[in-house]
Amino acid sequence: MFYIDPYYIMLVLPALFVAMWAQGRVSSTFSRYQQVRSYSGMTGEQVARQILDDNGLFNVRVERIAGSLTDHYDPRAQVVRLSEGVYGSESIAAIGVAAHETGHAVQHATHYAPLSIRTAIIPITNFGSRLSFPLLLIGLVMGSQNLVDFGILLFSLVTVFQLVTLPVEFNASSRALRTLESHNILMGDELAGAKKVLSAAALTYVAALIVSAAQLLRLVLLFGNRRRD
């Protein structure tokens, strides 16, 4: 007989559909505004470099990285890495993404609290994500509720990480839009287009939190209240 997990169907599956929808929306929105060249004619790399220099972050490098939408800021290496479709592109989408990633560098330099918290919990989050399910399974096999509970607790760290990530990403986007407007890099409809791109990207982080929270709730409902023999 096959076991049907009702909590997976009720909680996790809808969350996964939300994540798929969010990913599809960011891809389509980025593709749309990737076709719209900005009036400034600046590339993503040039925008990132200007924002960094204006904030005195001359030591932070801007590098090209392979892939699509693989853009990120590496606080350890102090490098803003822009994907191939962003680095040399003059599009509204590229400029918005470049400004967003540069916003993380500014957060790092100004010791923005949520970013500091997220960076600090990365090691323990990675530890928890790797060991949570093995510990939970071992606990079930051995009949140890303590191990099961500990496995669930470790998994909850992933949800905490996703929660802390939200203000970091939202703040980086708001910084980006303010900077693009104040420096006259994007104006009017261009700025509105960049906002749509960054808003769509933000939905992916919200979706990631929803998926993680749904999975955590599923684990709690399935195994958190098991009675010891």
Side-chain angles (χ1 to χ4, degrees), residues 122-190:
I122 284 177
I124 191 171
T125 300
N126 291 337
F127 174 81
S129 64
R130 288 194 302 267
L131 291 183
S132 57
F133 282 100
L135 279 177
L136 194 153
L137 291 175
I138 292 172
L140 291 174
V141 171
M142 296 179 60
S144 172
Q145 185 64 34
N146 288 335
L147 280 178
V148 170
D149 292 342
F150 189 53
I152 295 175
L153 178 63
L154 287 179
F155 183 83
S156 70
L157 296 175
V158 177
T159 305
V160 172
F161 178 82
Q162 298 291 356
L163 182 62
V164 174
T165 293
L166 290 187
V168 175
E169 298 300 330
F170 289 153
N171 178 263
S173 290
S174 63
R175 285 174 187 264
L177 294 171
R178 288 196 305 269
T179 300
L180 293 174
E181 183 176 25
S182 64
H183 287 65
N184 294 319
I185 298 173
L186 294 180
M187 295 175 288
D189 291 342
E190 292 182 321

Side-chain angles (χ1 to χ4, degrees), residues 13-30:
L13 199 57
L16 290 175
F17 280 123
V18 170
M20 292 172 60
W21 169 80
Q23 190 60 50
R25 181 167 179 180
V26 70
S27 296
S28 62
T29 305
F30 180 85

Side-chain angles (χ1 to χ4, degrees), residues 76-123:
R76 292 173 298 180
Q78 295 191 34
V79 177
V80 174
R81 297 192 174 98
L82 302 178
S83 62
E84 296 172 343
V86 170
Y87 187 91
S89 174
E90 301 173 357
S91 71
I92 292 173
I95 289 175
V97 170
H100 173 91
E101 298 306 333
T102 309
H104 288 311
V106 178
Q107 288 175 336
H108 185 216
T110 57
H111 306 288
Y112 179 62
L115 178 63
S116 299
I117 294 171
R118 187 178 74 168
T119 301
I121 67 175
I122 284 177

Side-chain angles (χ1 to χ4, degrees), residues 35-64:
Q35 307 303 317
V36 183
R37 183 181 182 275
S38 68
Y39 288 115
S40 69
M42 296 180 69
T43 65
E45 184 274 334
Q46 290 172 334
V47 168
R49 186 70 268 161
Q50 178 178 323
I51 296 174
L52 290 171
D53 291 349
D54 288 346
N55 284 273
L57 301 179
F58 305 105
N59 60 314
V60 177
R61 304 189 310 278
V62 181
E63 296 179 350
R64 188 194 304 265

